[in-house]
mmCIF file of all heavy atoms in Angstrom:
data_model
loop_
_atom_site.group_PDB
_atom_site.id
_atom_site.type_symbol
_atom_site.label_atom_id
_atom_site.label_comp_id
_atom_site.label_asym_id
_atom_site.label_seq_id
_atom_site.Cartn_x
_atom_site.Cartn_y
_atom_site.Cartn_z
ATOM 1 N N SER B 60 50.005 146.361 35.656
ATOM 2 C CA SER B 60 49.207 145.254 35.322
ATOM 3 C C SER B 60 48.542 144.464 36.469
ATOM 4 O O SER B 60 47.524 143.904 36.369
ATOM 5 C CB SER B 60 49.896 144.342 34.183
ATOM 6 O OG SER B 60 51.159 143.982 34.880
ATOM 7 N N ASN B 61 49.480 144.343 37.498
ATOM 8 C CA ASN B 61 48.874 143.644 38.621
ATOM 9 C C ASN B 61 47.866 144.591 39.435
ATOM 10 O O ASN B 61 46.901 144.022 40.039
ATOM 11 C CB ASN B 61 49.964 143.197 39.498
ATOM 12 C CG ASN B 61 50.718 141.933 38.964
ATOM 13 O OD1 ASN B 61 50.132 140.803 38.887
ATOM 14 N ND2 ASN B 61 51.803 142.143 38.368
ATOM 15 N N MET B 62 48.024 145.889 39.427
ATOM 16 C CA MET B 62 46.953 146.749 39.879
ATOM 17 C C MET B 62 45.617 146.541 39.079
ATOM 18 O O MET B 62 44.602 146.587 39.659
ATOM 19 C CB MET B 62 47.378 148.161 39.837
ATOM 20 C CG MET B 62 48.438 148.581 40.819
ATOM 21 S SD MET B 62 49.026 150.222 40.419
ATOM 22 C CE MET B 62 50.569 150.278 41.438
ATOM 23 N N LEU B 63 45.832 146.292 37.678
ATOM 24 C CA LEU B 63 44.663 146.161 36.881
ATOM 25 C C LEU B 63 43.908 144.882 37.378
ATOM 26 O O LEU B 63 42.717 144.908 37.415
ATOM 27 C CB LEU B 63 45.144 145.959 35.517
ATOM 28 C CG LEU B 63 44.016 145.862 34.378
ATOM 29 C CD1 LEU B 63 43.155 147.080 34.363
ATOM 30 C CD2 LEU B 63 44.678 145.562 32.989
ATOM 31 N N PHE B 64 44.693 143.883 37.711
ATOM 32 C CA PHE B 64 44.063 142.571 38.294
ATOM 33 C C PHE B 64 43.109 142.968 39.513
ATOM 34 O O PHE B 64 41.961 142.759 39.652
ATOM 35 C CB PHE B 64 45.073 141.428 38.652
ATOM 36 C CG PHE B 64 44.418 140.155 39.107
ATOM 37 C CD1 PHE B 64 44.658 139.028 38.321
ATOM 38 C CD2 PHE B 64 43.594 140.131 40.207
ATOM 39 C CE1 PHE B 64 44.130 137.821 38.733
ATOM 40 C CE2 PHE B 64 43.103 138.919 40.534
ATOM 41 C CZ PHE B 64 43.355 137.795 39.845
ATOM 42 N N GLY B 65 43.883 143.729 40.484
ATOM 43 C CA GLY B 65 43.026 144.084 41.760
ATOM 44 C C GLY B 65 41.853 144.936 41.406
ATOM 45 O O GLY B 65 40.762 144.719 41.978
ATOM 46 N N ALA B 66 42.023 145.843 40.402
ATOM 47 C CA ALA B 66 40.905 146.631 40.109
ATOM 48 C C ALA B 66 39.716 145.967 39.404
ATOM 49 O O ALA B 66 38.680 146.106 39.801
ATOM 50 C CB ALA B 66 41.392 147.825 39.201
ATOM 51 N N ALA B 67 40.067 145.086 38.501
ATOM 52 C CA ALA B 67 39.149 144.336 37.665
ATOM 53 C C ALA B 67 38.484 143.428 38.634
ATOM 54 O O ALA B 67 37.213 143.057 38.304
ATOM 55 C CB ALA B 67 39.781 143.678 36.595
ATOM 56 N N ALA B 68 39.067 142.871 39.698
ATOM 57 C CA ALA B 68 38.524 141.998 40.608
ATOM 58 C C ALA B 68 37.244 142.557 41.285
ATOM 59 O O ALA B 68 36.555 141.968 41.990
ATOM 60 C CB ALA B 68 39.436 141.444 41.430
ATOM 61 N N SER B 69 37.292 143.963 41.329
ATOM 62 C CA SER B 69 36.129 144.672 42.112
ATOM 63 C C SER B 69 34.957 144.648 41.105
ATOM 64 O O SER B 69 33.841 145.145 41.557
ATOM 65 C CB SER B 69 36.578 146.141 42.309
ATOM 66 O OG SER B 69 36.543 147.003 41.169
ATOM 67 N N GLY B 70 35.037 144.282 39.904
ATOM 68 C CA GLY B 70 33.946 144.199 39.034
ATOM 69 C C GLY B 70 33.747 145.518 38.186
ATOM 70 O O GLY B 70 32.797 145.659 37.368
ATOM 71 N N LYS B 71 34.635 146.467 38.520
ATOM 72 C CA LYS B 71 34.416 147.839 37.793
ATOM 73 C C LYS B 71 35.260 147.920 36.435
ATOM 74 O O LYS B 71 36.314 147.014 36.367
ATOM 75 C CB LYS B 71 34.943 148.862 38.660
ATOM 76 C CG LYS B 71 34.128 149.101 39.935
ATOM 77 C CD LYS B 71 33.016 150.071 39.756
ATOM 78 C CE LYS B 71 32.139 150.167 40.931
ATOM 79 N NZ LYS B 71 32.650 151.029 42.135
ATOM 80 N N ARG B 72 34.921 148.723 35.489
ATOM 81 C CA ARG B 72 35.627 148.607 34.277
ATOM 82 C C ARG B 72 37.086 149.397 34.511
ATOM 83 O O ARG B 72 37.069 150.495 34.934
ATOM 84 C CB ARG B 72 34.998 149.410 33.154
ATOM 85 C CG ARG B 72 33.846 148.638 32.672
ATOM 86 C CD ARG B 72 33.030 149.293 31.400
ATOM 87 N NE ARG B 72 32.390 148.237 30.807
ATOM 88 C CZ ARG B 72 31.531 148.461 29.772
ATOM 89 N NH1 ARG B 72 31.404 149.700 29.185
ATOM 90 N NH2 ARG B 72 30.845 147.388 29.243
ATOM 91 N N ALA B 73 38.105 148.624 34.197
ATOM 92 C CA ALA B 73 39.495 149.135 34.347
ATOM 93 C C ALA B 73 40.298 148.782 33.164
ATOM 94 O O ALA B 73 39.972 147.822 32.414
ATOM 95 C CB ALA B 73 40.102 148.572 35.635
#
Side-chain angles (χ1 to χ4, degrees):
Chain B
S60 53
N61 284 289
M62 286 170 192
L63 183 63
F64 186 117
S69 77
K71 299 266 176 80
R72 285 190 164 176

